[in-house]
Amino acid sequence: MRQQNPHQIIRPLIYSLLCVIMLAALTVTGVCAATPGKLSLVSMGTGDPDNMTIRAQETIAAADIFFTMGGRSDRYGDLIKGKPVYDAEHGLYSTGGARPRKSAEEAEKLRVENRKIIRDAVASGKKVVILDNGDPTIFGPQIGYMEEFADLNPEIVPGISSFNAANAALQASVVNGAARAVMLTSGSLNDGRDDFLARALNDGVTLSLFMVRDLDAFINAIGAKVSRDMPVAIVANAGSREQERVIRGTLGTILTTVGSEKLGAYLLYIGDSVK
């Protein structure tokens, strides 16, 4: 009986082994290609563009798809140029105070559309970025996306809030004073909040107030419950070198100082630490 050459036995085995290795490599490559993408809520900072962090810039540069307020791309220059941009709306998935600016029917239609776009994109390995100004976790209108798409393990890329920029404009620590505390809250007076805020002020807390819609009404309501000598500061357009402005006074003088001036976006500070 003729004996087989050892090479005739070994070569087919080596060939079979190589085929198995190549098949495994192709399988792994296919799995990697199908790896889900990423959903990120990115802070653009506040005021001037250079208040954006390096991490935010890198995340934006690597993104494939963007969502912005109103689907606008003009205010972001070359950062998102040439890439798809969709409407994130305002408070679209929010369960808190932020509410959509569209009608209920339009908002629901957009929710459905955005769910599909985001989920399909992430499943296909794309990086989706939602752009928001300031710190998205401080009265940010897009924070609802984090809950709506929690199963996709989204991330928040933090950034400078108008609160941070306004503190820098004041050139003072807002935790100075006996209580060494600061409260970030909205400028609403609904449901007896004037009593609540007045108690905080009388306890030595500095108030940093966002979204004061009616400055006259707010100052008059608080001024009726605490000393009219309580220091007040207004920081308008925080973070903008050209437009930023600080106006100081007291509860008794600030309205006269402001007069009929249109302030634009501003934060209102009340408390001893801003004198």
Side-chain angles (χ1 to χ4, degrees):
M1 185 174 181
R2 185 179 177 183
Q3 290 184 334
Q4 284 186 304
N5 188 322
H7 293 293
Q8 293 177 315
I9 299 175
I10 294 173
R11 283 174 181 169
L13 289 174
I14 293 175
Y15 178 76
S16 297
L17 181 60
L18 288 174
C19 287
V20 170
I21 293 173
M22 290 177 66
L23 180 60
L26 289 173
T27 301
V28 171
T29 302
V31 169
C32 290
T35 300
K38 188 71 178 178
L39 173 62
S40 303
L41 175 55
V42 178
S43 166
M44 297 295 292
T46 188
D48 296 331
D50 59 1
N51 285 327
M52 181 171 51
T53 67
I54 294 174
R55 180 180 170 191
Q57 290 178 318
E58 291 174 344
T59 304
I60 291 169
D64 301 295
I65 294 174
F66 293 95
F67 283 80
T68 71
M69 190 88 75
R72 293 184 59 180
S73 60
D74 55 298
R75 66 179 59 180
Y76 303 111
D78 292 334
L79 285 172
I80 62 177
K81 189 175 181 180
K83 296 182 179 180
V85 180
Y86 298 95
D87 185 5
E89 234 290 330
H90 180 277
L92 191 63
Y93 298 104
S94 176
T95 57
R99 291 287 181 266
R101 294 171 178 172
K102 298 181 183 295
S103 68
E105 295 77 11
E106 291 174 324
E108 182 56 29
K109 179 181 178 182
L110 190 59
R111 287 188 193 97
V112 173
E113 292 174 352
N114 286 2
R115 285 189 191 105
K116 178 171 176 53
I117 293 170
I118 291 173
R119 292 191 177 280
D120 287 353
V122 172
S124 65
K126 293 183 178 180
K127 294 181 174 64
V128 181
V129 163
I130 302 163
L131 297 180
D132 205 355
N133 295 322
D135 184 336
T137 69
I138 302 178
F139 299 110
Q142 311 305 356
I143 194 67
Y145 278 86
M146 295 296 97
E147 181 177 350
E148 176 67 26
F149 299 96
D151 60 300
L152 299 181
N153 192 29
E155 68 169 354
I156 294 178
V157 177
I160 296 175
S161 167
S162 56
F163 172 67
N164 305 123
N167 294 344
L170 290 173
Q171 298 186 3
S173 170
V174 293
V175 291
N176 283 336
R180 295 189 178 277
V182 59
M183 179 191 297
L184 277 64
T185 187
S186 69
S188 170
L189 291 175
N190 296 336
D191 302 320
R193 290 190 78 244
D194 51 340
D195 288 329
F196 166 70
L197 297 177
R199 285 197 301 272
L201 286 169
N202 286 324
D203 286 340
V205 175
T206 295
L207 299 184
S208 177
L209 297 140
F210 293 67
M211 301 174 291
V212 180
R213 306 304 187 194
D214 188 336
L215 181 63
D216 287 31
F218 189 89
I219 293 295
N220 287 328
I222 298 299
K225 297 179 182 296
V226 300
S227 171
R228 301 281 289 180
D229 293 328
M230 182 76 71
V232 172
I234 295 172
V235 182
N237 301 304
S240 170
R241 290 182 181 86
E242 293 186 359
Q243 298 179 313
E244 182 179 88
R245 186 178 175 208
V246 177
I247 305 171
R248 297 180 185 272
T250 67
L251 284 173
T253 66
I254 193 67
L255 293 181
T256 301
T257 302
V258 173
S260 60
E261 181 180 350
K262 301 297 183 183
L263 296 174
Y266 67 91
L267 265 67
L268 173 64
Y269 290 81
I270 307 176
D272 288 331
S273 66
V274 297
K275 62 184 176 182

